[in-house]
């Protein structure tokens, strides 16, 4: 295993966001689709998911403010800590 920096990288993609209010409640959703690459080798960058999606809900009921959120992260290339080989998690 050898740590090192990448000289040139790029990350092109699309991010979407939507939010709406219904009474005191707010609903939101966001999605990211990206292509993180090492510009020199063309390899996928480690620890960067190609896609992610999030859903949010928030409410204000009198003096209380509360909410919940869910997030999905796609598979990511990383280094296996046992073998130091490339692996997806």
């Amino acid at each position: 295993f050898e740590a090192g920096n990448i000289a040139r990288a790029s990350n092109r993609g699309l991010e979407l966001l939507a939010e709406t209010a219904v009474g005191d409640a707010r609903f939101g959703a966001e999605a990211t689709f990206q292509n993180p690459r090492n510009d020199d080798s063309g390899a996928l960058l480690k620890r960067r998911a190609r896609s992610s999606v999030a859903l949010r809900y928030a409410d204000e009921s009198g003096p209380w403010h509360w909410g919940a959120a869910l997030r999905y992260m796609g598979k990511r290339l990383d280094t296996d800590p046992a073998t130091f080989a490339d692996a997806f998690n």
Side-chain angles (χ1 to χ4, degrees):
F1 174 75
E2 182 179 323
N5 290 326
I6 295 172
R8 295 180 335 125
S10 61
N11 191 0
R12 292 183 176 86
L14 174 68
E15 289 186 314
L16 304 170
L17 171 68
E19 189 170 275
T20 189
V22 178
D24 288 337
R26 297 195 67 77
F27 296 91
E30 58 187 78
T32 300
F33 305 97
Q34 59 186 356
N35 189 19
R37 296 281 170 184
N38 177 331
D39 287 341
D40 294 330
S41 70
L44 188 63
L45 293 179
K46 291 187 177 184
R47 299 178 189 92
R48 307 300 192 281
R50 292 196 55 174
S51 61
S52 67
V53 177
L55 301 173
R56 294 183 315 278
Y57 172 81
D59 195 356
E60 298 181 24
S61 300
W64 297 97
H65 298 257
W66 61 278
L70 296 172
R71 178 170 298 275
Y72 163 79
M73 298 293 291
K75 67 180 182 176
R76 296 172 288 181
L77 181 65
D78 207 340
T79 302
D80 184 315
T83 64
F84 298 110
D86 285 349
F88 283 95
N89 61 9

